[in-house]
Amino acid sequence: MQTLAENLTSQAISPTLEKLILTLANTSKEISHAVRHGALAGVLGATEQENVQGETQKKLDIITNDMLKDALKADGKVRGIASEEEDYVVEADANGEFLVCFDPLDGSSNIDINSLVGTIFSVLPAPAGELTENSFLQAGRNQVAAGYVLYGPSTMLALTTGQGVQLFTLNPETNEFLLTDGAMAISKDTGEFAINMSNQRFWEAPMQTYISDLLLGKIGPREKSFNMRWIAAMVGDVHRVLCRGGIFTYPTDNKNPEKPYKLRLMYEANPMAFLVEQAGGKASTGYETIMDIQPTEIHQRVAVILGSANEVDMCLEYHAQDYSEEPSL
Ligand code: AFP
């Protein structure tokens, strides 16, 4: 089986990007080790700290953030870093070619129940000049690489450099990522959806109607039964979509009018949208293609609808309709 290093050499990418991806992959091996030791290493549980988005940080959020930050600063080709767990952008090497955005431990609320978590990353070109938050405000379309590492029963790396999606599995004996799927492809159609149903009453009319029709199954307008899954870690849900198709959404809701969206554009939506598009799927907010959004701030959040192309298109048809005359559900 091809190693990650061998596979990268066969891709049309620069040696510096190749090295950066290996830096990210090698750090994820250390994160995998820390996650696996769990309570034995005293790394479970919350801290007293909150991140800039007002979320309580888990011990592992901070540990994994520091591991990635240190490794990327030492890489030599990283100009700057933006992390879900950092208030501000972090300067790395003055001569760096790349900006790296990451969520060091997505789904960290799963950690204490020994369920799926992962690391998500996105690599952008570094613009010339002084490093500021503005340097990072590039559309997802600019990404030169993106991926995630899923810390599950096995540790897996899904990667794109714009040449399809490759899946690697960490061999625990040799500590080497080996290519186990050279061309991940999302089925166009699906009978599976992923959404946090407990928020149903807070969704907008298009999503209310779309999900109601899925739930009606064979007796509804879709004339087909749908199954539902929710891991509460985007990395796990998107991995399932990449493996066997599906539609995943965290839509707009009015639970807290000051926070209508949950997922972060730079650390979650953009890298996952790049992977999904490269695997033949689609990713949208309901009104806009995620990869085309011009960001206005690094920690900004967006609505996300992604997965099997025909099912995302169907969901977008619901969003294109006029609901103004209908009573709210
Ligand atoms: P955490 O990393 O803070 O646990 O959040 C994970 C996440 O952003 C995303 O990975 C999940 O899809 C989503 O939150 C789950 O949200 P709910 O807890 O509202 O279902």
Side-chain angles (χ1 to χ4, degrees), residues 101-149:
C101 304
F102 60 84
D103 179 352
L105 202 67
D106 178 60
S108 56
S109 53
N110 276 353
I111 256 297
D112 296 341
I113 58 160
N114 197 24
S115 194
L116 290 183
V117 288
T119 297
I120 309 174
F121 59 87
S122 156
V123 184
L124 292 160
E130 192 195 350
L131 183 89
T132 65
E133 179 168 335
N134 282 340
S135 317
F136 287 80
L137 303 182
Q138 305 180 40
R141 224 23 100 198
N142 274 14
Q143 292 172 103
V144 293
Y148 62 78
V149 181

Side-chain angles (χ1 to χ4, degrees), residues 105-109 196 230 232-234 248 250 262-264 268:
L105 202 67
D106 178 60
S108 56
S109 53
N196 183 339
W230 188 246
M234 187 188 194
F248 164 90
Y250 210 115
K262 167 105 190 210
L263 301 178
R264 295 79 172 174
E268 295 172 317

Side-chain angles (χ1 to χ4, degrees), residues 180-253:
T180 43
D181 187 345
M184 294 190 94
I186 301 176
S187 56
K188 298 275 174 238
D189 295 296
T190 183
E192 200 162 66
F193 68 99
I195 192 165
N196 183 339
M197 282 298 297
S198 70
N199 293 326
Q200 184 176 22
R201 66 195 180 283
F202 302 113
W203 301 330
E204 292 178 325
M207 193 54 82
Q208 293 269 6
T209 313
Y210 169 69
I211 296 291
S212 297
D213 286 353
L214 297 189
L215 294 173
L216 283 170
K218 286 192 175 141
I219 60 159
R222 300 297 305 276
E223 299 176 341
K224 167 179 167 182
S225 292
F226 283 81
N227 194 13
M228 199 200 88
R229 289 285 184 270
W230 188 246
I231 294 175
M234 187 188 194
V235 72
D237 281 312
V238 172
H239 184 67
R240 186 188 57 255
V241 167
L242 279 162
C243 290
R244 68 178 192 207
I247 183 165
F248 164 90
T249 174
Y250 210 115
T252 312
D253 68 48

